[in-house]
Amino acid sequence: MQTVSYESLRAEQAWMIVSDQLQHRNNLLAKGISHMERHVSELPMASRLMMLRYHLKMSLRQLTSEARQQVRTTPDANRLRQQWLHVHQLFFLLRQIDTELNRATLENDNLRSWVEATEARVYRSALVHLN
């Protein structure tokens, strides 16, 4: 049986926050792809967003699979450390996605206008709790 401590609850809360953010980016990318596909001239950007979304999904699968295997093989004493490592890996992935998405919006006026109109609610302030 695993003991619940304040630190393990903090790690779980951080995981929920970063997972929510990643889901938000996945949804934003999906909607952005649909928006860009409506204009033939924007198909290269739609393709770029598809590749970014694919990277997000595949990286999540890999990190989740690795985390599940570590839970089975990690002694209880190291489990919290492994939990935080997983959270920080997810946070790094989120930063990669945000960097690429920001770069794309700087290069494409149509995408930038759409993201600015869509991004009425961004939870970036919640990410402060990860540190």
Side-chain angles (χ1 to χ4, degrees):
M1 182 166 163
Q2 188 177 359
T3 13
V4 177
S5 67
Y6 175 74
E7 282 303 314
S8 66
L9 290 173
R10 281 188 64 216
E12 185 69 22
Q13 176 67 22
W15 179 84
M16 289 188 320
I17 290 168
V18 75
S19 294
D20 183 55
Q21 290 292 307
L22 288 165
Q23 184 60 49
H24 174 69
R25 295 320 183 277
N26 183 47
N27 293 339
L28 183 70
L29 287 168
K31 291 174 185 175
I33 291 164
S34 294
H35 176 74
M36 300 310 276
E37 286 177 333
R38 292 184 198 130
H39 310 281
V40 174
S41 63
E42 300 293 357
L43 290 179
M45 182 54 72
S47 176
R48 182 172 169 183
L49 294 178
M50 278 183 205
M51 290 172 44
L52 187 56
R53 188 168 184 230
Y54 177 79
H55 170 67
L56 170 62
K57 287 182 162 204
M58 293 310 294
S59 297
L60 274 176
R61 282 186 189 136
Q62 180 182 355
L63 289 172
T64 302
S65 173
E66 289 171 5
R68 283 186 184 138
Q69 282 194 350
Q70 288 172 349
V71 165
R72 287 186 214 120
T73 60
T74 304
D76 285 342
N78 294 329
R79 199 161 283 157
L80 182 61
R81 196 184 82 210
Q82 290 297 332
Q83 235 180 325
W84 276 112
L85 177 63
H86 182 63
V87 167
H88 287 288
Q89 288 171 325
L90 292 173
F91 182 63
F92 181 75
L93 175 61
L94 178 63
R95 288 180 48 201
Q96 280 183 318
I97 298 299
D98 281 349
T99 298
E100 288 304 313
L101 191 55
N102 287 336
R103 188 174 295 143
T105 58
L106 289 174
E107 295 172 15
N108 188 293
D109 294 335
N110 188 2
L111 181 62
R112 181 174 46 253
S113 314
W114 179 81
V115 167
E116 287 171 356
T118 305
E119 279 285 281
R121 54 184 195 108
V122 174
Y123 318 123
R124 290 199 177 131
S125 62
L127 295 175
V128 170
H129 299 292
L130 292 175
N131 295 327

